[in-house]
Amino acid sequence: MRLSKLMIPGLAFAAAAGLSLVAAGFAVTAVERSTERGVRRALDDGGFAWAEVTADGLQVLLEGTAPDEATRFSVKSLAGTVVDAARIVDGMEVPPAGGLAPPRFSAEILRNDGGISIIGLIPAGSGRKALVKELNELAGAENVADLLETAKYTMPEGWQDAMGFAVEALKLMPRAKISVAAGQVSVTAISGSEDAKARLEEQLGRLAPPGLRLALDIAAPRPVITPFTLRFLLDKDGAEFDACSAESEESRVRILAAARKAGLQGEADCVIGMGVPSPNWARAAELSIAGLAELGGGSVTIANADITLVAAEGTENGRFDHVVGELESALPRVFALHAVLPVPEAQDSGGIPEFTATLSPEGQVQLRGRLSDAALRAVADSYAKARFGSGNVHSAARVASGLPADWPVRVLAGLEALSYLQRGAVTVTPENLELRGMSYRKNAPAEIARYLSAKLGEAETYGLDISYEKPPEPKDKPLPPELCEAQLASAQSEAKIAFEPGSATIASESAGTMDRIAAILARCGPVRLEIQGHTDSQGREAMNQNLSQGRAQSVLNELRARRVVTSTFAARGYGESDPIADNGTEEGREANRRIEFKLIRPAAAAGAGEDSPGEATGEEAAESAEDAQETTEQ
């Protein structure tokens, strides 16, 4: 059958149209796949593998769950670098945002001579007005700068204890910076001396409530040493320092190294302080000690910039002249040298004038020997009574003529030096002053040497033979914390603290036990102690927890009623969580119902900061009373 001539062109057009549609379909699919691959690759390289990419013609659909709006925007922007942003359809989701996290509450308190300033963010309702009022009472309203801000969030646990401690600590320090956060306080301050630093650290440690994390950075300034003194002695028995001062750690190391090279054995130290007369102090000390070692014996005293070198009796004149000449040439320009070569004394020395004062271990002082006139005798007697007590001085000194003009100065200096000792004697002669005895102060030789150098002059000689003994323990010394804890446990082993059945009320028969515990704590001194309440396992766990807390609090209240200082005590209930015996027997349950006294040690206190419940609240006490009605087994 033949087609008409008119149908042939139509069929050809239809075939061409079909082929065009097929070709267009393949082209669109190729474009979509290419677009998907390009965008997918870009998102994977950017770390957004969670995003899904679908190409539909010219449009690109992005789907998935973005962690936040910023990430969602980043995905759209990155896809826009591959295809036109107008072609992108955003189908991504972002989960709803949770509630805002509470801010970190903290405060900085700075106190100096100009007043007090406080800055930081504190919880609303934490008593800002009362806090500022207390600071105003401490420094005056016109001297307090209140730069605090408040936020309405729940007060974090431990905040009130930390801020309360900070205010109390501020009362002890006229210059300090205190940083406060929930459950922790950091104190930076400066004290007047090492002793003051130790006392302040002890006071702050005693003041800190249990569970507070306390960081102390208290500095003690270097002491001012006047005169700046060094005294080194060398004889047949060895070498030793009577006094040693240094301006730095490096200087101390150099001086001690020179002394050991000269024959010093054993332990020795130099006091680091201010007041050095020259930056070449260590060099002058090294040269002087080396010169004395070359002489073979004697003493060298440096007081500020004056150096006195005393050779041992019998030193050869030639050696003495050589050493002194070398030393004079080598010393730094500021220092002046005075060298002494002693002349041997005559065999008969019985006629040498002498004054002696002896101090007995009981504190009795006897004055014997020669004084230049009646006025000096009266002054020496009065001076000794002022130093040692009016009833402790007996004077047997006599007035004699022909004594040196500086005799009064030497006698009074000797009495003052004797007052540094617990027992001993001082002997004054025209050529020397000898002090022998014992002191409870380790640095007594250095202090005496500085004093005598200042009073007698650098050219005068004196000898010191002072031993150190540890001070005896005071009769009323508090019990060590560990012994205190052991005695408290022993008191309960004889008769434990008992309570009324199912109640936090201490039984009347336990009054004697409480009296013994109060007596032990009175001998313990300040100690950080946790009063622990424990129960057996009968009844509900929450009930046992509340009951144990109430019983521990009752013991704390009873101690307060007996005038025991409980500022460093904490009451804590442990419920049935820490049994020491089998709860399956009556004997075991009886053993588990107990009160224990445990020391709060620094490491444990820092770790337990937020877990310690402290004293029971009113709601806890009420719940404890309700729970107590449910059992009579406790």
Side-chain angles (χ1 to χ4, degrees):
M1 181 177 180
R2 293 185 176 181
L3 298 174
S4 66
K5 293 181 179 180
L6 293 176
M7 293 178 66
I8 292 175
L11 293 173
F13 179 79
L19 290 173
S20 297
L21 288 174
V22 172
F26 279 111
V28 168
T29 301
V31 170
E32 288 177 346
R33 290 178 178 176
S34 175
T35 300
E36 284 186 6
R37 285 195 297 270
V39 175
R40 177 74 274 158
R41 188 181 302 111
L43 295 182
D44 288 344
D45 293 343
F48 305 116
W50 52 266
E52 298 292 337
V53 181
T54 303
D56 185 5
L58 296 179
Q59 290 185 331
V60 177
L61 176 62
L62 300 178
E63 295 178 303
T65 303
D68 50 51
E69 286 292 346
T71 306
R72 177 181 185 175
F73 179 78
S74 298
V75 171
K76 291 177 60 178
S77 300
L78 187 58
T81 62
V82 180
V83 298
D84 188 358
R87 297 168 53 192
I88 297 174
V89 177
D90 182 8
M92 294 179 289
E93 297 180 351
V94 177
L100 294 177
R104 181 180 181 274
F105 293 109
S106 64
E108 296 280 342
I109 308 175
L110 178 65
R111 184 180 186 187
N112 53 33
D113 295 335
I116 298 175
S117 62
I118 180 168
I119 185 172
L121 179 66
I122 67 174
S126 60
R128 174 180 178 177
K129 290 184 178 179
L131 171 62
V132 175
K133 180 181 178 182
E134 199 165 359
L135 297 180
N136 288 339
E137 293 174 353
L138 190 58
E142 67 280 1
N143 297 323
V144 175
D146 175 15
L147 305 176
L148 290 173
E149 298 289 340
T150 59
K152 293 184 178 181
Y153 284 88
T154 302
M155 188 186 309
E157 186 175 354
W159 173 263
Q160 288 288 46
D161 285 346
M163 183 58 74
F165 168 79
V167 174
E168 292 300 318
L170 205 64
K171 297 176 182 178
L172 302 176
M173 300 173 290
R175 288 173 296 277
K177 186 186 80 169
I178 302 179
S179 302
V180 183
Q184 61 186 33
V185 174
S186 175
V187 177
T188 304
I190 187 168
S191 62
S193 64
E194 287 291 340
D195 290 341
K197 173 185 176 182
R199 287 195 302 270
L200 182 57
E201 288 177 340
E202 180 182 1
Q203 288 176 305
L204 292 175
R206 220 181 266 175
L207 195 63
L212 179 70
R213 293 187 292 275
L214 178 60
L216 299 179
D217 182 11
I218 301 175
R222 292 184 298 167
V224 177
I225 302 175
T226 306
F228 216 76
T229 308
L230 181 146
R231 180 172 169 83
F232 185 73
L233 297 91
L234 178 65
D235 56 26
K236 61 181 181 180
D237 296 326
E240 64 176 343
F241 278 109
D242 272 349
C244 181
S245 305
E247 79 279 14
S248 65
E249 181 64 32
E250 179 185 359
S251 176
R252 175 164 61 184
V253 170
R254 291 174 58 185
I255 293 172
L256 293 178
R260 291 191 174 92
K261 189 175 181 181
L264 178 68
Q265 301 291 331
E267 295 294 327
D269 198 8
C270 296
V271 178
I272 296 179
M274 298 182 292
V276 65
S278 166
N280 294 317
W281 172 265
R283 178 60 178 162
E286 289 173 327
L287 293 171
S288 301
I289 293 172
L292 182 65
E294 191 172 350
L295 287 175
S299 67
V300 60
T301 304
I302 309 178
N304 289 335
D306 297 304
I307 302 176
T308 301
L309 179 66
V310 181
E313 189 174 313
T315 302
E316 296 179 359
N317 288 335
R319 178 187 294 182
F320 178 78
D321 292 339
H322 172 74
V323 171
V324 171
E326 291 285 342
L327 185 56
E328 286 179 337
S329 301
L331 283 173
R333 293 179 58 185
V334 175
F335 294 89
L337 176 65
H338 176 74
V340 178
L341 179 60
V343 177
E345 296 182 3
Q347 294 296 323
D348 182 12
S349 59
I352 297 178
E354 181 180 278
F355 170 82
T356 303
T358 59
L359 171 63
S360 71
E362 296 77 21
Q364 300 296 317
V365 176
Q366 288 191 356
L367 309 181
R368 300 188 304 273
R370 305 179 190 183
L371 297 173
S372 55
D373 52 42
L376 176 59
R377 183 167 60 184
V379 169
D381 186 67
S382 299
Y383 195 87
K385 289 179 178 178
R387 284 287 178 269
F388 304 101
S390 299
N392 297 329
V393 177
H394 173 71
S395 179
R398 67 184 182 90
V399 176
S401 59
L403 297 174
D406 64 348
W407 195 258
V409 174
R410 298 170 67 80
V411 167
L412 296 180
L415 290 174
E416 179 67 22
L418 184 64
S419 69
Y420 285 77
L421 307 181
Q422 268 58 53
R423 64 174 183 268
V426 61
T427 302
V428 180
T429 64
E431 300 296 333
N432 198 17
L433 185 152
E434 290 287 340
L435 180 66
R436 303 176 303 280
M438 182 275 294
S439 174
Y440 290 153
R441 297 151 64 179
K442 286 185 177 181
N443 60 343
E447 296 176 359
I448 295 171
R450 285 196 292 269
Y451 172 77
L452 292 179
S453 295
K455 289 297 181 183
L456 301 181
E458 289 75 17
E460 297 295 334
T461 61
Y462 55 87
L464 302 179
D465 183 9
I466 300 169
S467 62
Y468 165 76
E469 291 183 10
K470 186 177 179 180
E473 297 288 350
K475 294 181 180 179
D476 58 347
K477 180 183 178 182
L479 295 176
E482 290 75 12
L483 181 57
C484 177
E485 183 182 42
Q487 290 197 5
L488 290 171
S490 176
Q492 284 212 86
S493 67
E494 298 174 3
K496 66 185 292 186
I497 301 174
F499 296 87
E500 299 293 341
S503 169
T505 303
I506 297 177
S508 58
E509 59 266 24
S510 293
T513 303
M514 291 303 306
D515 291 338
R516 286 192 292 274
I517 289 175
I520 293 171
L521 290 173
R523 301 197 307 272
C524 289
V527 61
R528 302 184 73 187
L529 203 65
E530 184 177 76
I531 303 172
Q532 299 181 352
H534 299 271
T535 69
D536 60 29
S537 61
Q538 290 193 335
R540 292 188 293 110
E541 184 177 352
M543 175 200 68
N544 290 334
Q545 173 64 41
N546 292 333
L547 184 57
S548 65
Q549 178 65 46
R551 289 180 171 178
Q553 185 63 45
S554 294
V555 173
L556 182 62
N557 294 340
E558 283 294 322
L559 293 176
R560 288 172 177 166
R562 287 167 170 77
R563 297 185 178 276
V564 175
V565 179
T566 61
S567 58
T568 57
F569 294 2
R572 181 172 181 179
Y574 286 84
E576 60 188 62
S577 63
D578 189 17
I580 59 173
D582 184 7
N583 276 309
T585 65
E586 178 56 35
E587 292 77 8
R589 290 193 293 272
E590 174 62 27
N592 289 331
R593 297 193 289 268
R594 68 195 188 278
I595 291 290
E596 293 184 350
F597 296 86
K598 297 294 184 181
L599 292 177
I600 300 177
R601 293 176 170 83
E610 297 184 356
D611 296 331
S612 179
E615 299 186 0
T617 64
E619 294 179 358
E620 291 173 339
E623 185 178 350
S624 175
E626 294 175 0
D627 291 334
Q629 298 176 4
E630 298 181 22
T631 181
T632 58
E633 292 294 325
Q634 300 296 339

